[in-house]
Amino acid sequence: MEDFDFNITIVGLGLIGGSYAMALKDLNPKNIWAVDIDKNALKTAQELGIIDQGYVDPEIPLKNSDIVILCIYPNLAIEFIKEQMDHFKTGAIITDTAGIKEKLLSKINGFVRTDIDFIGGHPMAGREYKGLSFASKDIFDGANYILTPIEQNKKENIQRIEYMIKGIGCKNIIKIDPKKHDEIIAFTSQLPHIVAAALMNGAKEENTHLFVAGSFKDATRVARMNTKLWSELLIENRENTIEQIERFEKYMTEIKNTIINNDQVTLEELFENARGKREEFIEKCMK
Amino acid sequence: MEDFDFNITIVGLGLIGGSYAMALKDLNPKNIWAVDIDKNALKTAQELGIIDQGYVDPEIPLKNSDIVILCIYPNLAIEFIKEQMDHFKTGAIITDTAGIKEKLLSKINGFVRTDIDFIGGHPMAGREYKGLSFASKDIFDGANYILTPIEQNKKENIQRIEYMIKGIGCKNIIKIDPKKHDEIIAFTSQLPHIVAAALMNGAKEENTHLFVAGSFKDATRVARMNTKLWSELLIENRENTIEQIERFEKYMTEIKNTIINNDQVTLEELFENARGKREEFIEKCMK
């Protein structure tokens, strides 16, 4: 493991921020600092040795931080950079972890200092809970991590972030255009959350739990989401989300019509198509 | 463990039949026999000691079987009982494992011999694979098992089946009207399979696998289903399935409209409702 002699500040010590801090330990950076408004979270993280020092006031750690990792809601991330603009160290790298990228990047890049590199990031890792107490460095193990670098990002800064991402345990780093990111993620992440919520909202039987096997449990797991965060993500990515819901509705209608038409042959074909794609998908995931 | 000195025949040595045979061992019945058209499956099961003896011709085991467990597709189960009607032992109990109950029961009870008790059953257990090689007695561990007894079933026969179900490791036995069963199961089991298939059918990116975290994987797990079986189940339970798809579509539209209207407050409320119901559901599952 090469030298990673940097000061890193994590902003937001929730599930992702806490997990990030834990995972960064293996890279042995100079300092891991954290900023949060929750003093208890900072105190706990410090006592557990997850961070070296916690701060409610961002100014102190930011002025000495080489890398700043934002683990807060997307709109708050934009505000944070704006408000703290004068406090970042010259040449600092800022990265984020939000599930949406296009608007966020265009906003931040509209006002960020030219000596600072903002590199958009999105770890495909998480849990259906929130808060430091659910944090674990394992969430990055074998996970995919998306980066949305832009032309003005310095090559060596992108490489530094990539090195860090591998260091926390991620398997694949995917570099993609921010707009494309938001389109794909609306399908692979936002749609399954909406589906889980819609399924759960439709549960009317008090004793539903007695009539389920794995299919319902799995399909509704993420209904136990951070509702504030996900509402924000969906609204911020609304055009893509709406498009994906409408595409999904068409595939539902396609299946429904075969049942309405008593057309078992076509229904089985649609299921076979899904089964084949699922097998292929899982094979690719295993690679 | 009380004496369970019966001859049991399992019809259909696939995932459920094979798992049933394995789980029944703990009850130490007099004999576990199996009927299947697949000679290899019978041979393998015999060699592995899963069954005492396998038969392609049902007549031989049926005439000495006190309990017959049908682990075949629902329409095949109806046919099987009709064809083998003269071969069942006097006073035999027949039970099945199909995911639909109302039509199946009314058909079978329309022609079954009066000395035979057909008791409808549906183990809420399974895997997204088919065949003996995926069988495991663990699938019943802690699972729910639904029975749909009717008035003419003998009390002691129902009790015998319940004893057997507990013996294979199931946690809850739920006794319910066949019609009600089909209504509920359309929501808790058939709808999640349709949703999984529709999600998977909508996957267009060749590299979808790079952009997923747990939510998509979990929601599409059962798209890897036995497509022949599930097509049959859905068509046979079509009125309930269509109703459940349409209810689900309304809950999807409700969420979609908040996004279209940029109404983050209502969206968060809908998600909060789902989150609350999911938590309550999981708590009940744990009990």
Side-chain angles (χ1 to χ4, degrees):
Chain A
M1 190 65 84
E2 87 183 44
D3 204 33
F4 203 72
D5 204 23
F6 301 111
N7 290 322
I8 303 177
T9 288
I10 289 168
V11 181
L13 211 51
L15 172 73
I16 298 293
S19 301
Y20 226 125
M22 291 173 187
L24 282 170
K25 277 269 160 188
D26 294 343
L27 277 160
N28 199 28
K30 203 188 287 176
N31 283 291
I32 303 173
W33 296 319
V35 171
D36 205 297
I37 50 168
D38 179 352
K39 286 181 192 171
N40 282 327
L42 295 173
K43 190 164 166 274
T44 305
Q46 224 170 289
E47 283 169 1
L48 293 171
I50 298 170
I51 57 170
D52 294 301
Q53 182 78 43
Y55 300 89
V56 174
D57 179 4
E59 188 173 347
I60 312 162
L62 288 187
K63 64 184 177 191
N64 291 310
S65 290
D66 308 292
I67 298 172
V68 179
I69 304 167
L70 303 174
C71 303
I72 50 181
Y73 295 4
N75 287 326
L76 204 56
I78 299 168
E79 268 178 58
F80 182 88
I81 298 178
K82 199 177 258 173
E83 280 173 13
Q84 303 300 324
M85 189 66 81
D86 297 336
H87 303 142
F88 291 103
K89 186 177 169 181
T90 303
I93 307 173
I94 311 177
T95 189
D96 78 317
T97 52
I100 53 158
K101 294 269 82 78
E102 193 188 8
K103 278 188 196 167
L104 184 127
L105 262 105
S106 76
K107 282 187 185 167
I108 290 171
N109 287 316
F111 61 70
V112 79
R113 274 165 34 202
T114 50
D115 67 296
I116 291 173
D117 239 3
F118 180 81
I119 301 171
H122 180 196
M124 300 302 296
R127 295 181 62 190
E128 68 275 30
Y129 302 100
K130 58 179 182 179
L132 180 63
S133 54
F134 292 103
S136 158
K137 70 174 195 171
D138 299 344
I139 67 167
F140 298 110
D141 257 353
N144 297 319
Y145 203 114
I146 308 171
L147 288 179
T148 56
I150 50 169
E151 228 176 312
Q152 57 256 52
N153 292 142
K154 289 191 191 72
K155 210 177 166 184
E156 67 266 29
N157 286 345
I158 298 172
Q159 283 169 345
R160 189 163 296 165
I161 294 296
E162 289 188 83
Y163 178 83
M164 181 178 80
I165 291 168
K166 289 281 180 185
I168 62 170
C170 290
K171 188 173 152 193
N172 298 303
I173 297 172
I174 305 108
K175 280 184 271 188
I176 191 168
D177 172 69
K179 186 174 152 58
K180 190 79 188 150
H181 166 277
D182 288 1
E183 283 169 24
I184 298 178
I185 231 65
F187 173 67
T188 58
S189 178
Q190 293 169 351
L191 182 58
H193 280 78
I194 294 167
V195 163
L199 276 173
M200 210 63 242
N201 281 341
K204 62 179 171 182
E205 297 295 331
E206 267 184 42
N207 48 3
T208 299
H209 67 288
L210 294 173
F211 297 91
V212 298
S215 63
F216 186 84
K217 273 190 200 169
D218 282 4
T220 58
R221 182 179 60 82
V222 294
R224 172 76 179 78
M225 62 184 121
N226 176 340
T227 58
K228 192 171 178 311
L229 171 63
W230 280 93
S231 313
E232 185 175 323
L233 290 173
L234 297 190
I235 294 288
E236 292 300 325
N237 196 22
R238 61 189 285 279
E239 289 80 7
N240 289 317
T241 307
I242 293 164
E243 195 189 318
Q244 289 304 330
I245 294 174
E246 285 172 353
R247 280 187 74 241
F248 173 72
E249 286 172 335
K250 279 183 205 154
Y251 288 100
M252 284 297 290
T253 303
E254 191 180 39
I255 294 175
K256 183 176 68 174
N257 286 342
T258 65
I259 302 173
I260 289 173
N261 300 331
N262 251 318
D263 181 359
Q264 195 171 327
V265 174
T266 310
L267 176 57
E268 194 177 332
E269 279 169 14
L270 294 176
F271 279 173
E272 268 302 307
N273 182 58
R275 198 193 55 74
K277 281 176 119 172
R278 167 72 191 177
E279 278 198 353
E280 204 183 306
F281 163 77
I282 283 296
E283 267 168 37
K284 283 185 185 169
C285 286
M286 296 299 176
K287 268 181 196 160
Chain B
M1 191 64 87
E2 87 182 43
D3 203 34
F4 203 71
D5 205 24
F6 302 111
N7 290 322
I8 303 177
T9 288
I10 290 169
V11 181
L13 212 50
L15 173 72
I16 298 293
S19 302
Y20 226 126
M22 291 173 187
L24 281 170
K25 277 268 160 189
D26 294 342
L27 278 160
N28 198 28
K30 202 188 289 179
N31 282 290
I32 302 174
W33 296 319
V35 171
D36 205 298
I37 50 168
D38 178 354
K39 284 181 193 170
N40 282 328
L42 295 173
K43 190 164 165 275
T44 305
Q46 225 171 291
E47 281 169 3
L48 294 171
I50 297 169
I51 58 169
D52 293 300
Q53 182 78 43
Y55 300 89
V56 173
D57 178 4
E59 185 173 348
I60 311 160
L62 288 186
K63 65 182 178 192
N64 291 311
S65 290
D66 307 291
I67 298 173
V68 179
I69 305 168
L70 303 173
C71 303
I72 49 180
Y73 295 5
N75 287 326
L76 204 55
I78 298 167
E79 268 178 59
F80 181 89
I81 298 178
K82 200 178 258 174
E83 281 172 14
Q84 303 300 325
M85 188 66 79
D86 296 337
H87 303 141
F88 292 103
K89 185 178 169 181
T90 304
I93 306 173
I94 311 177
T95 188
D96 78 318
T97 52
I100 51 157
K101 295 269 82 82
E102 193 189 8
K103 278 188 197 168
L104 183 129
L105 263 104
S106 76
K107 281 187 187 167
I108 291 172
N109 287 316
F111 60 70
V112 79
R113 270 164 40 199
T114 50
D115 66 297
I116 291 174
D117 239 2
F118 181 81
I119 301 171
H122 180 196
M124 299 302 297
R127 294 182 65 189
E128 68 274 31
Y129 302 100
K130 59 179 181 179
L132 180 64
S133 54
F134 292 104
S136 158
K137 70 175 195 171
D138 299 344
I139 69 167
F140 298 110
D141 256 352
N144 298 320
Y145 204 115
I146 307 172
L147 288 179
T148 55
I150 50 169
E151 225 175 315
Q152 56 258 51
N153 291 140
K154 289 192 191 72
K155 211 176 168 185
E156 67 267 27
N157 286 345
I158 298 171
Q159 283 168 346
R160 190 164 296 167
I161 293 296
E162 288 188 84
Y163 177 83
M164 181 178 79
I165 291 168
K166 289 280 179 184
I168 61 171
C170 291
K171 190 173 151 193
N172 298 303
I173 297 172
I174 304 107
K175 279 182 272 186
I176 192 170
D177 172 70
K179 185 172 153 57
K180 190 80 188 150
H181 166 276
D182 288 1
E183 283 168 24
I184 298 179
I185 231 66
F187 173 68
T188 59
S189 177
Q190 294 169 350
L191 181 59
H193 280 78
I194 294 167
V195 164
L199 275 172
M200 211 62 242
N201 281 341
K204 62 178 170 181
E205 298 295 331
E206 266 184 42
N207 49 2
T208 299
H209 67 288
L210 294 173
F211 297 91
V212 298
S215 64
F216 186 83
K217 273 190 202 170
D218 282 4
T220 58
R221 183 179 59 82
V222 294
R224 173 78 178 74
M225 62 184 124
N226 175 340
T227 58
K228 192 171 179 308
L229 171 63
W230 281 93
S231 313
E232 184 174 324
L233 290 173
L234 297 190
I235 294 287
E236 292 299 325
N237 196 21
R238 60 189 286 278
E239 289 80 7
N240 288 317
T241 307
I242 293 165
E243 194 190 318
Q244 289 305 329
I245 294 174
E246 286 174 351
R247 281 187 73 240
F248 173 71
E249 286 172 335
K250 279 185 203 153
Y251 288 101
M252 285 297 290
T253 303
E254 189 180 41
I255 293 176
K256 184 176 67 174
N257 286 342
T258 66
I259 302 173
I260 290 173
N261 300 330
N262 252 318
D263 182 359
Q264 195 170 326
V265 174
T266 309
L267 176 57
E268 194 177 332
E269 279 169 13
L270 293 177
F271 279 174
E272 267 303 306
N273 182 58
R275 198 192 55 74
K277 280 176 121 171
R278 168 73 190 175
E279 280 199 348
E280 203 183 308
F281 164 76
I282 283 296
E283 268 169 37
K284 282 185 186 169
C285 286
M286 297 297 176
K287 266 180 201 162

